[in-house]
Amino acid sequence: MAEHFSKRTATCGSLTKADDKKAVILNGWVHRHRDHGMIHFINLRDRYGITQVIVDDDSSKELQQVALSLNLEDCISVTGVVRARPASMVNPEMATGEIEVKAEQIEILSTCAPLPFQIDDGNVPREELRLKYRYLDLRTEGMKKRIKLRHDTVWAIRRYLSARGFYEIETPTMIKSTPEGARDFLVPSRIHVGKFYALPQSPQLFKQILMVGGMDKYFQIARCYRDEDARGDRQPEFTQLDLEMSFVTRDDVLSTMEGLFGYVFKEVMDYDLPPTFRRFSYEEAMNTYGCDKPDLRFGLELQDMNDLASRSTFATFKEIVAQGGHVKALCAPHSEIVDFSRKYITDLENAAKVYGAHGLAWMKVGENNTINGGISKFFEGLQGEIIDRFDAKEGDMILFVAHKEWKKTCASLSAVRSKLGKDLQLIRPGFEFCWIVDFPLFEYNEERGQWEAAHHMFSMPQAEYIDTMEEDPGKVKGDLYDLVLNGYEVASGSIRIHDVELQKRIFRICNFDDETAQERFGFLLTAFSFSPPPHGGIAPGIDRIVMIMAGESSIHEVIAFPKNTAGISPMDDSPSFVEEKQLEELHLKIVYPEKKE
Amino acid sequence: MAEHFSKRTATCGSLTKADDKKAVILNGWVHRHRDHGMIHFINLRDRYGITQVIVDDDSSKELQQVALSLNLEDCISVTGVVRARPASMVNPEMATGEIEVKAEQIEILSTCAPLPFQIDDGNVPREELRLKYRYLDLRTEGMKKRIKLRHDTVWAIRRYLSARGFYEIETPTMIKSTPEGARDFLVPSRIHVGKFYALPQSPQLFKQILMVGGMDKYFQIARCYRDEDARGDRQPEFTQLDLEMSFVTRDDVLSTMEGLFGYVFKEVMDYDLPPTFRRFSYEEAMNTYGCDKPDLRFGLELQDMNDLASRSTFATFKEIVAQGGHVKALCAPHSEIVDFSRKYITDLENAAKVYGAHGLAWMKVGENNTINGGISKFFEGLQGEIIDRFDAKEGDMILFVAHKEWKKTCASLSAVRSKLGKDLQLIRPGFEFCWIVDFPLFEYNEERGQWEAAHHMFSMPQAEYIDTMEEDPGKVKGDLYDLVLNGYEVASGSIRIHDVELQKRIFRICNFDDETAQERFGFLLTAFSFSPPPHGGIAPGIDRIVMIMAGESSIHEVIAFPKNTAGISPMDDSPSFVEEKQLEELHLKIVYPEKKE
């Protein structure tokens, strides 16, 4: 162990030919070690790069012995002299490939136990091991790049917003549990027996209260918490850019975000986004892509086929249309990669059925504007119109879903579209943002038999619906907007209600009577009685956006210390049992569920 | 309620003479309203400033009526025309004092309920009201300034560190409870029955693990949590700049901080700090100022008086010195503000007694280098030496504390020094930073009868003490450092241990046997077996530093939504009771303490 050590005078990524003959000290880890008898080539690594260190055959016996004893990942300090490599030895793939450092002394700062896996980006171990030994995983080039990408991204966000008059304001993370409380993590109070704080699912109420307080433009890179069952890529704690603005309408928030992400992508990745993003109403997005988070990196737009279905002789379709249902189709282009075999069509059909489709009908486009196979025989005389609708070519495949419910028709065909996009390799590289607007304000929860807020209860209904919204909540559209990137929802926001009475009406539609609303949201309602300004905001998810920027498919890749899908951190083994004394102090007893026999 | 409203084209702080005759829309709150019959002067306020709006006697009846109906703090939109004020009406104290806006239309965006207190910086209501209606309190000029100051400060910190290769990395806030666990807030896991996460008291272990992961330079503006009993100015959650660096020694961390705060104070307050801060060893600080967080904005240094006490005829002092105790004194200068009456000296004595002093002895400096009164008679023949030691002048007062314990002598006289600094108005304006270094690594806990880490268990002992530290832990000095500003400790840090065996020895001295250490800190010990780099760091407290910058004496003034001293948020009334269902899902039962009869 070294209390004193030879401190670096340069990093492992900084030396060039210009440093030839310079005496230097490098500190870092043994990344590679080739031992050619009396000559050692040691690749020394730190956060900044890799430098080749040479222990030559003219070195002292002592130095030779130290070199011989080195294990991969030992942490060392190398004192030596830079020498330019001869032209033939220059490694153009290394930033420091023009030089090497001839070691004069090597000090071992700390040694490395046998590695559970090799630190090698080409060889990614299973995730449980990566999480348990995250500090070793962080040493890989990939993790280092992603941690830097995240820093760069959040840093660019702060630059953009701070330059535009936004204040970053910290809001509390120990707050009151709200009625969506089912998903709240609770924190027992030791001093106030029987009472709890909750960890915030978002700073929603506080950012609105900041607007009531006149803060005008607020943002925060905020930690948020949600106690959900393990589901895909969720984390119990996650990070969002929380943002709110006063005296604005929808388009102000949208253009602020367009400016922000344009800046961030240019600064961080040198990638040009368009100055504005495409906007779809919710209905339009559903009708065109089958979903409200479309991946615009490929086409395969859906077409409404109700008219042609009615005129066909296909009883199933005709009946569905007659009953007010929907027939939609898309056209998969002829492909060299995928043959549209029966088996493949069955795979597509299975993808559709997950979302409620009864089946997937198809027809193939033949030569000379003909259609054949599948349900083509029912469309006698309609070939030309079908082909025109898709501008279809020979070898293309037209795929149909019909269902009495609009949402299920859309969602099923969207699943087919997604699978085709991937399988046919239609997805263009790059980043495609779009806005989805004009969402329904309420959704009917069949299970509970009641209306619920589609986004949250603080969003403004569009003006034309306000007077009569109780009559048919399902029809009410809200001033809601989602930001979508490459098929992921990456942000969600709205113009907020700033009127106590309107807010109470929304609570009532969502089945909170005035008393419950008062108990749970009284402080917001009180705040709203003191002249809140019109305001609105949005909350982009940092984890997911950085994940997409990094080209990854799991947010684990862009979080330094993620929990696994069971909410466990394999490194520190949290959550864990605590001492009985701690529970006593909190006045808590654990009630273990009875074991089933 | 306004779904659509006339959106501002300017802010209330932006208009000048150059905007004369411009048509504008302003949005804001009614700050003042003077009603002169048919003429209304309305001071309209937003985050950016105040603009005077005029409703003239030539206005429409409708506009007159709206103006008449306005209450203070109503939120309104004003459409009007800028007009330059005649020279005689220019208000040089207002940024917008050169102009006013003649209203053509006023739209009420939302009305204000009767105010619980006036929004007026000259009239600060009691804190409980301020916290309950924090959104109103935030509308005051003072709170707005401090929220901006905090934003500016943290933003400058990020600029400085990001430009110097530090990555901001988020560490988890749901972690394993550690043995200092007594102060952990716990979060019950719903999925893993009987297990808990803890909220971190700091990211200490994670930042060290980031160093093991090769991240080299890390920082984070980190939320931290501590479940302490209500005590002064503590908050259950607070914010620190958490920072760690690899391959560094103490002076690297210190100079990084000097550069950082030099930059921040210059950028944010245009205040020049010296390029380096004064450094005191712990012993030196105690001997000179009586405490380890000295306020250097005034003098009143302590002097060791053991030599003169021995040579005096004062038995009490002589005895204490003979027993190895300490006699210290300071010299309070003659003052126009405070007469050194018996009563005042008793006040000083009482301040000293809080810290263990048995009493406060005194003597007065007379004319012609004489001393008189108090214990002067015991110092016959020593007058000259006493006066020289303090360079004392006529009218000065020399105050003595004697105690067998060094710490109590120092602390008692430090309390006297602090009181004198304030009462005699000796405290210079400005900011005085200093470092305290060479702290003892261990402290003996009399109550528990064991050694404890003075800072925390991960700090490096200084090299010379390592081999023999078990022999006399009290003697061991650590590579610890505190940053002090104007008498407050504002940061604490250390060079860390990066050797498993040394770390285990520290655990053992602090009474953690290997098994307990393994159970609680196993993951750190494991991490340390994989070649950790030498590393060290520091953690300045953001709340406190911004408080001092703002010239305030409570951190409540610089936190948007603080809890009160009982840990309660009067605004949202957290902590609160939760639904029985929530507790059931968490498998928890509350055990109410039995009522005492």
Side-chain angles (χ1 to χ4, degrees):
Chain A
M1 196 224 34
E3 298 78 57
H4 298 299
F5 66 97
S6 303
K7 223 162 51 173
R8 65 187 172 197
T9 59
T11 69
C12 297
S14 63
L15 299 172
T16 66
K17 223 162 42 183
D19 299 297
D20 191 28
K21 299 197 173 54
K22 200 191 237 177
V24 294
I25 304 176
L26 299 177
N27 297 161
W29 287 267
V30 176
H31 187 63
R32 294 281 176 270
H33 182 190
R34 280 174 296 143
D35 172 0
H36 293 222
M38 300 290 281
I39 305 180
H40 297 262
F41 295 91
I42 297 159
N43 277 3
L44 192 68
R45 188 195 68 235
D46 65 13
R47 199 190 84 184
Y48 309 92
I50 290 177
T51 297
Q52 178 165 286
V53 171
I54 309 276
V55 174
D56 239 339
D57 49 6
D58 63 358
S59 302
S60 71
K61 205 170 159 184
E62 203 188 333
L63 179 55
Q64 286 280 350
Q65 271 174 345
V66 175
L68 203 59
S69 77
L70 291 178
N71 289 310
L72 285 188
E73 294 302 317
D74 280 352
C75 184
I76 64 176
S77 174
V78 174
T79 303
V81 175
V82 181
R83 60 187 190 196
R85 298 192 196 185
S88 66
M89 303 290 280
V90 165
N91 181 348
E93 284 173 22
M94 253 172 117
T96 60
E98 293 177 327
I99 59 96
E100 57 196 15
V101 169
K102 183 174 183 319
E104 286 168 356
Q105 199 196 321
I106 294 180
E107 195 181 330
I108 296 177
L109 302 177
S110 63
T111 56
C112 190
L115 291 164
F117 53 82
Q118 225 189 315
I119 314 285
D120 175 358
D121 285 80
N123 172 30
V124 181
R126 63 191 167 82
E127 169 148 86
E128 207 63 10
L129 266 187
R130 290 180 63 199
L131 296 187
K132 185 169 170 61
Y133 299 97
R134 191 58 155 188
Y135 37 87
L136 297 178
D137 194 41
L138 286 171
R139 292 183 187 177
T140 59
E141 204 48 37
M143 278 308 303
K144 261 193 300 192
K145 270 192 189 154
R146 289 190 294 275
I147 294 287
K148 176 175 184 343
L149 175 69
R150 185 173 180 132
H151 166 81
D152 289 346
T153 301
V154 173
W155 173 225
I157 289 173
R158 286 194 161 104
R159 286 203 304 277
Y160 187 85
L161 295 175
S162 297
R164 276 152 193 83
F166 285 82
Y167 291 164
E168 183 159 13
I169 304 175
E170 293 183 70
T171 55
T173 59
M174 294 172 69
I175 65 169
K176 188 184 172 79
S177 181
T178 54
E180 297 97 339
R183 292 170 176 184
D184 280 349
F185 281 107
L186 296 182
V187 182
S189 164
R190 178 174 54 83
I191 297 169
H192 306 282
V193 184
K195 293 190 175 184
F196 292 81
Y197 303 97
L199 301 179
Q201 293 180 35
S202 86
Q204 183 64 34
L205 298 181
F206 288 93
K207 71 175 170 176
Q208 293 194 239
I209 281 174
L210 284 172
M211 296 302 104
V212 180
M215 285 298 143
D216 207 80
K217 288 177 178 180
Y218 142 92
F219 82 101
Q220 185 182 193
I221 304 293
R223 200 68 63 87
C224 304
Y225 304 84
R226 207 167 292 171
D227 185 12
E228 289 183 310
D229 293 323
R231 180 151 72 97
D233 210 22
R234 303 273 177 141
Q235 287 281 311
E237 54 179 318
F238 56 97
T239 303
Q240 69 188 30
L241 163 59
D242 197 53
L243 183 140
E244 198 80 5
M245 305 166 75
S246 288
F247 303 117
V248 295
T249 54
R250 185 190 74 183
D251 287 0
D252 298 307
V253 180
L254 268 48
S255 66
T256 300
M257 285 297 107
E258 287 162 349
L260 170 68
F261 284 109
Y263 175 81
V264 169
F265 274 66
K266 185 68 187 171
E267 287 279 306
V268 176
M269 315 194 80
D270 196 24
Y271 186 90
D272 289 298
L273 292 176
T276 58
F277 304 156
R278 291 175 68 184
R279 292 183 194 180
F280 300 93
S281 73
Y282 169 73
E283 259 184 41
E284 197 182 349
M286 291 294 282
N287 280 327
T288 312
Y289 300 101
C291 74
D292 59 4
K293 41 185 183 180
D295 190 340
L296 301 185
R297 290 175 301 167
F298 63 102
L300 298 186
E301 281 91 353
L302 278 49
Q303 296 290 345
D304 188 322
M305 303 301 278
N306 275 20
D307 55 341
L308 294 171
S310 310
R311 287 156 61 203
S312 78
T313 57
F314 191 30
T316 318
F317 279 11
K318 288 167 81 84
E319 199 174 315
I320 283 174
V321 173
Q323 288 173 352
H326 301 267
V327 180
K328 290 181 178 291
L330 60 74
C331 175
H334 171 75
S335 168
E336 300 290 331
I337 305 159
V338 171
D339 64 338
F340 294 117
S341 63
R342 280 295 158 100
K343 186 185 164 312
Y344 185 71
I345 291 174
T346 306
D347 287 349
L348 289 175
E349 185 165 38
N350 289 338
K353 282 180 169 173
V354 171
Y355 294 88
H358 307 299
L360 184 70
W362 59 273
M363 56 179 64
K364 204 155 193 169
V365 180
E367 51 187 11
N368 301 325
N369 285 345
T370 57
I371 54 173
N372 47 61
I375 59 168
S376 62
K377 59 178 180 257
F378 301 113
F379 287 81
E380 203 63 50
L382 301 173
Q383 298 97 327
E385 286 181 66
I386 294 177
I387 286 171
D388 280 358
R389 188 154 298 179
F390 292 102
D391 194 16
K393 305 275 177 298
E394 186 183 343
D396 289 359
M397 178 67 95
I398 299 175
L399 298 153
F400 293 77
V401 167
H403 199 286
K404 65 175 196 290
E405 289 179 42
W406 173 70
K407 267 196 187 173
K408 285 188 178 160
T409 316
C410 294
S412 304
L413 207 51
S414 172
V416 173
R417 178 178 175 270
S418 291
K419 182 168 165 57
L420 284 167
K422 271 182 216 125
D423 293 348
L424 306 189
Q425 299 178 10
L426 299 176
I427 302 174
R428 289 184 297 271
F431 302 97
E432 293 274 356
F433 277 95
C434 67
W435 290 106
I436 314 296
V437 298
D438 299 335
F439 280 91
L441 192 64
F442 301 101
E443 272 173 0
Y444 195 72
N445 185 322
E446 300 280 353
E447 231 171 276
R448 298 194 187 172
Q450 68 182 54
W451 290 101
E452 289 180 347
H455 178 213
H456 57 53
M457 295 191 288
F458 313 107
S459 298
M460 184 77 102
Q462 293 184 2
E464 59 189 290
Y465 301 96
I466 290 182
D467 288 343
T468 58
M469 63 183 185
E470 284 83 355
E471 289 169 18
D472 187 355
K475 267 199 182 155
V476 179
K477 284 186 179 134
D479 256 348
L480 306 173
Y481 31 85
D482 275 5
L483 182 59
V484 172
L485 169 57
N486 289 4
Y488 291 92
E489 180 209 311
V490 293
S492 201
S494 65
I495 295 300
R496 325 297 184 186
I497 296 166
H498 63 277
D499 177 85
V500 183
E501 288 312 315
L502 182 59
Q503 185 66 67
K504 283 186 184 167
R505 285 171 62 199
I506 301 280
F507 285 151
R508 280 181 221 126
I509 292 174
C510 297
N511 226 22
F512 286 97
D513 57 42
D514 286 9
E515 198 186 335
T516 312
Q518 189 58 40
E519 190 198 320
R520 287 299 171 179
F521 295 114
F523 72 104
L524 185 72
L525 293 173
T526 305
F528 276 9
S529 70
F530 294 104
S531 49
H535 61 288
I538 192 164
I542 296 293
D543 305 302
R544 195 175 269 177
I545 289 170
V546 178
M547 174 194 92
I548 298 168
M549 291 170 83
E552 294 291 338
S553 56
S554 164
I555 56 173
H556 294 191
E557 298 296 342
V558 297
I559 298 173
F561 300 103
K563 307 237 177 341
N564 68 17
T565 48
I568 292 169
S569 165
M571 189 178 77
D572 66 355
D573 199 30
S574 65
S576 59
F577 294 110
V578 297
E579 287 170 34
E580 198 53 45
K581 212 183 74 188
Q582 285 175 273
L583 293 184
E584 273 166 31
E585 283 190 347
L586 295 174
H587 305 282
L588 288 182
K589 213 184 124 180
I590 297 161
V591 186
Y592 284 94
E594 285 174 38
K595 276 189 188 136
K596 282 168 192 149
E597 310 236 331
Chain B
M1 193 224 40
E3 297 78 54
H4 298 299
F5 66 97
S6 301
K7 223 162 49 172
R8 66 185 171 200
T9 59
T11 68
C12 297
S14 64
L15 298 173
T16 66
K17 222 163 41 182
D19 298 299
D20 191 27
K21 300 195 171 54
K22 202 190 235 176
V24 294
I25 305 176
L26 299 177
N27 298 161
W29 288 267
V30 177
H31 187 62
R32 294 280 178 271
H33 182 190
R34 280 175 295 145
D35 173 359
H36 293 221
M38 299 290 279
I39 305 180
H40 297 262
F41 295 90
I42 297 158
N43 276 4
L44 191 68
R45 188 197 68 234
D46 65 11
R47 197 189 85 186
Y48 309 93
I50 291 178
T51 297
Q52 178 165 285
V53 172
I54 310 276
V55 175
D56 239 338
D57 48 7
D58 63 356
S59 301
S60 71
K61 206 171 157 185
E62 203 189 331
L63 180 54
Q64 287 278 354
Q65 272 174 343
V66 175
L68 205 57
S69 77
L70 290 179
N71 290 310
L72 284 187
E73 293 302 317
D74 280 351
C75 184
I76 64 177
S77 174
V78 174
T79 303
V81 175
V82 180
R83 59 187 192 198
R85 300 192 194 184
S88 65
M89 303 289 279
V90 164
N91 180 348
E93 283 174 22
M94 252 174 116
T96 60
E98 294 177 324
I99 59 98
E100 56 195 16
V101 170
K102 181 174 184 320
E104 286 168 356
Q105 201 195 317
I106 294 180
E107 196 181 329
I108 296 178
L109 302 178
S110 63
T111 56
C112 191
L115 290 165
F117 53 82
Q118 225 190 314
I119 314 285
D120 176 358
D121 286 79
N123 172 30
V124 180
R126 63 191 167 85
E127 169 148 87
E128 206 63 9
L129 266 187
R130 291 179 64 199
L131 295 187
K132 185 168 171 63
Y133 300 98
R134 190 60 154 185
Y135 36 88
L136 297 178
D137 194 42
L138 287 171
R139 291 183 188 176
T140 59
E141 204 48 38
M143 277 309 303
K144 262 194 298 192
K145 268 193 191 155
R146 290 189 292 276
I147 294 287
K148 177 176 184 336
L149 175 69
R150 184 172 180 134
H151 166 81
D152 289 347
T153 301
V154 173
W155 172 224
I157 289 173
R158 285 194 162 104
R159 287 203 303 278
Y160 187 85
L161 294 175
S162 296
R164 277 152 192 83
F166 284 82
Y167 291 166
E168 183 160 13
I169 303 175
E170 293 182 68
T171 54
T173 59
M174 296 172 68
I175 66 167
K176 188 186 173 81
S177 181
T178 54
E180 296 96 340
R183 293 171 175 182
D184 281 348
F185 282 107
L186 296 182
V187 182
S189 165
R190 180 174 53 82
I191 297 170
H192 305 283
V193 183
K195 294 189 174 182
F196 292 80
Y197 301 97
L199 300 179
Q201 293 180 34
S202 87
Q204 182 64 33
L205 297 182
F206 287 94
K207 70 175 171 176
Q208 293 195 240
I209 280 175
L210 283 172
M211 296 302 105
V212 181
M215 285 298 142
D216 207 81
K217 289 178 178 179
Y218 143 93
F219 82 102
Q220 186 181 193
I221 304 292
R223 201 69 63 87
C224 304
Y225 304 85
R226 208 168 292 170
D227 185 11
E228 287 182 312
D229 293 324
R231 179 149 73 98
D233 209 22
R234 302 273 177 144
Q235 288 281 309
E237 53 180 319
F238 56 97
T239 303
Q240 70 187 31
L241 162 59
D242 196 54
L243 183 141
E244 198 79 6
M245 304 166 76
S246 288
F247 303 117
V248 295
T249 54
R250 186 190 73 182
D251 288 359
D252 298 306
V253 180
L254 267 48
S255 66
T256 299
M257 286 298 105
E258 287 162 349
L260 171 69
F261 285 108
Y263 175 82
V264 169
F265 275 64
K266 185 68 186 169
E267 288 278 307
V268 176
M269 316 195 77
D270 196 23
Y271 186 91
D272 290 299
L273 292 176
T276 57
F277 304 157
R278 291 176 68 185
R279 292 183 194 180
F280 299 92
S281 74
Y282 168 75
E283 261 185 38
E284 196 182 348
M286 292 293 283
N287 280 327
T288 313
Y289 299 100
C291 73
D292 58 3
K293 41 184 183 182
D295 190 341
L296 300 186
R297 290 174 302 167
F298 63 101
L300 300 187
E301 281 89 353
L302 279 50
Q303 297 288 347
D304 189 320
M305 303 300 279
N306 275 22
D307 55 342
L308 294 171
S310 311
R311 289 159 56 204
S312 77
T313 57
F314 192 29
T316 317
F317 279 10
K318 291 168 79 84
E319 200 176 312
I320 283 175
V321 173
Q323 289 171 353
H326 302 266
V327 180
K328 290 180 180 289
L330 58 77
C331 175
H334 170 76
S335 168
E336 300 290 332
I337 306 160
V338 171
D339 66 335
F340 295 117
S341 63
R342 279 295 158 102
K343 190 191 163 306
Y344 185 72
I345 292 176
T346 306
D347 289 349
L348 290 175
E349 185 166 41
N350 289 337
K353 281 180 169 173
V354 172
Y355 295 87
H358 308 299
L360 184 69
W362 59 274
M363 55 180 66
K364 206 157 192 167
V365 181
E367 49 187 12
N368 300 326
N369 285 344
T370 58
I371 55 175
N372 48 60
I375 59 169
S376 61
K377 61 178 177 248
F378 302 113
F379 288 81
E380 204 62 52
L382 302 172
Q383 298 96 323
E385 285 181 68
I386 293 177
I387 286 170
D388 282 357
R389 188 156 300 178
F390 292 101
D391 194 16
K393 306 274 177 296
E394 186 183 343
D396 291 0
M397 178 69 95
I398 300 175
L399 298 152
F400 294 77
V401 167
H403 198 285
K404 68 176 194 287
E405 289 179 41
W406 173 70
K407 269 196 187 176
K408 287 187 176 158
T409 316
C410 295
S412 304
L413 206 50
S414 171
V416 173
R417 177 178 176 268
S418 292
K419 185 168 166 53
L420 285 167
K422 272 181 214 124
D423 294 347
L424 305 188
Q425 300 177 11
L426 300 176
I427 303 175
R428 288 184 296 270
F431 302 97
E432 292 274 357
F433 278 96
C434 68
W435 289 107
I436 314 297
V437 298
D438 299 334
F439 280 91
L441 192 64
F442 302 100
E443 272 173 0
Y444 196 73
N445 185 324
E446 301 281 354
E447 231 171 277
R448 298 195 188 172
Q450 67 181 53
W451 289 101
E452 287 179 352
H455 178 213
H456 58 52
M457 294 191 287
F458 312 108
S459 299
M460 185 76 102
Q462 293 184 2
E464 59 190 288
Y465 300 96
I466 290 182
D467 288 344
T468 57
M469 62 183 185
E470 284 83 356
E471 288 168 18
D472 187 355
K475 268 199 181 156
V476 178
K477 285 189 179 131
D479 257 347
L480 305 173
Y481 31 87
D482 275 5
L483 182 61
V484 172
L485 169 57
N486 288 4
Y488 291 93
E489 180 207 312
V490 293
S492 199
S494 65
I495 295 299
R496 325 298 184 184
I497 295 165
H498 63 278
D499 178 85
V500 183
E501 287 312 316
L502 181 58
Q503 185 65 67
K504 283 187 185 168
R505 285 171 61 199
I506 301 281
F507 286 149
R508 278 180 223 126
I509 291 173
C510 296
N511 224 21
F512 287 97
D513 58 42
D514 287 9
E515 199 185 335
T516 311
Q518 188 60 39
E519 190 198 320
R520 286 298 170 178
F521 295 114
F523 72 104
L524 184 73
L525 294 172
T526 305
F528 276 8
S529 70
F530 294 104
S531 49
H535 62 287
I538 193 164
I542 296 294
D543 306 302
R544 195 174 270 178
I545 289 170
V546 178
M547 174 195 91
I548 298 167
M549 291 170 80
E552 295 290 339
S553 58
S554 163
I555 57 172
H556 294 191
E557 297 297 342
V558 297
I559 297 175
F561 301 102
K563 308 236 177 342
N564 67 17
T565 48
I568 292 170
S569 165
M571 189 178 76
D572 66 354
D573 198 31
S574 64
S576 60
F577 294 110
V578 297
E579 290 170 32
E580 198 52 44
K581 213 182 74 189
Q582 285 175 272
L583 293 184
E584 273 167 31
E585 283 190 347
L586 294 175
H587 305 282
L588 288 182
K589 218 184 118 178
I590 298 162
V591 187
Y592 285 94
E594 284 173 40
K595 277 188 190 136
K596 281 166 194 154
E597 312 234 332

